Amino acid sequence: MYGDPETVRKILTEAGDTWAVVGLSSNRRRAAYGVAEVLQRFGKRVVPVHPKAETVHGEQGYASLADIPFEVDVVDVFVRSDLAGQVAEEAAAIGAKAVWFQLGVIDEAAYERAQEAGLAMVMDKCPAIEIPRLGPADRFS
């Protein structure tokens, strides 16, 4: 409902390979840690965004999206739904092409605002579940 299959495919294969993962820390028990690992396996550069700005999976972390000194293609959001809308606005402000709200992260107003701002948007889905579903030609294009 919050991301048709074509939008999911486009974000995973055409939006770009630099993914800022908001909420990613070195805590291996958190879902963001495992999802980031899967994204890396499929060729994505994962940029941790967390107040601690920790290095995770070999990538330097940043305290906020605005602190990242290079272009970010997709912002993957692992924060509570009541905070996610602000992250989507920050993604638009830094020029990201797409925003991905993880499973259980739902903010319909933010979804609409992101689309109005021209960002591709998926909500309440997990890229680590969706990317293996792509055909082999799409996964590494």
Side-chain angles (χ1 to χ4, degrees):
M1 175 176 178
Y2 301 115
D4 61 275
E6 184 58 20
T7 300
V8 168
R9 189 195 67 73
K10 282 184 176 182
I11 292 174
L12 291 171
T13 64
E14 298 174 19
D17 290 332
T18 301
W19 285 52
V21 181
V22 178
L24 175 58
S25 72
S26 62
N27 185 342
R28 294 172 182 260
R29 294 178 302 218
R30 305 291 297 185
Y33 192 90
V35 170
E37 220 168 28
V38 171
L39 289 170
Q40 280 187 324
R41 261 199 323 265
F42 283 94
K44 307 299 182 190
R45 178 181 184 190
V46 172
V47 182
V49 179
H50 188 278
K52 294 180 182 178
E54 299 172 303
T55 297
V56 183
H57 298 307
E59 289 286 345
Q60 169 64 49
Y62 297 90
S64 72
L65 289 172
D67 291 341
I68 300 172
F70 48 84
E71 188 174 304
V72 170
D73 301 309
V74 180
V75 176
D76 189 5
V77 182
F78 279 91
V79 300
R80 295 186 331 244
S81 295
D82 62 322
L83 302 174
Q86 177 64 37
V87 176
E89 290 172 14
E90 292 170 13
I94 66 163
K97 298 173 190 136
V99 178
W100 191 298
F101 283 8
Q102 282 294 325
L103 289 170
V105 180
I106 299 170
D107 181 335
E108 293 177 6
Y111 183 82
E112 290 177 21
R113 287 193 312 271
Q115 289 187 314
E116 288 168 5
L119 280 76
M121 177 78 181
V122 170
M123 184 165 65
D124 195 27
K125 292 188 181 290
C126 179
I129 293 170
E130 300 298 327
I131 202 165
R133 293 178 178 169
L134 296 173
D138 279 334
R139 283 191 215 139
F140 299 101
S141 59

